[in-house]
Amino acid sequence: MHAVARVWNQAEEVMVAFLLAGMTLVTFSYVVFNNLYGVFYSLGDALPFANDAMFAIGDGILYIAQEMTWSVALTKAMFGWL
């Protein structure tokens, strides 16, 4: 019986570590994408010779940030499972 309890405790610890790491990774990437596109827009305004390239990169990052609406729901679900 002690072996089963030990295996269960280890599986529970692994699951908690996985959920915490997943929550951290999803939230971190969401925050980075939400704040990074502004940097490229500012660089596009400051550097006229790289205007088009910086705006294109900023637009791509903004698109990724806008498509990450699922991240809040996933983080809430992972917290609930935790």
Side-chain angles (χ1 to χ4, degrees):
M1 192 59 146
H2 293 292
V4 173
R6 213 171 349 153
V7 168
W8 176 256
N9 288 336
Q10 287 179 345
E12 190 176 23
E13 287 178 12
V14 167
M15 192 59 126
V16 166
F18 174 76
L19 289 171
L20 284 173
M23 288 170 56
T24 303
L25 182 66
V26 168
T27 303
F28 177 76
S29 62
Y30 179 71
V31 169
V32 166
F33 284 128
N34 254 344
N35 292 314
L36 191 61
Y37 66 87
V39 173
F40 286 98
Y41 286 154
S42 296
L43 283 173
D45 288 336
L47 304 171
F49 60 89
N51 192 352
D52 292 336
M54 292 299 147
F55 285 160
I57 294 171
D59 288 343
I61 294 172
L62 179 61
Y63 176 77
I64 292 170
Q66 287 176 339
E67 291 295 318
M68 287 187 70
T69 57
W70 52 267
S71 65
V72 175
L74 179 63
T75 302
K76 286 180 183 180
M78 291 174 101
F79 182 75
W81 295 332
L82 188 63

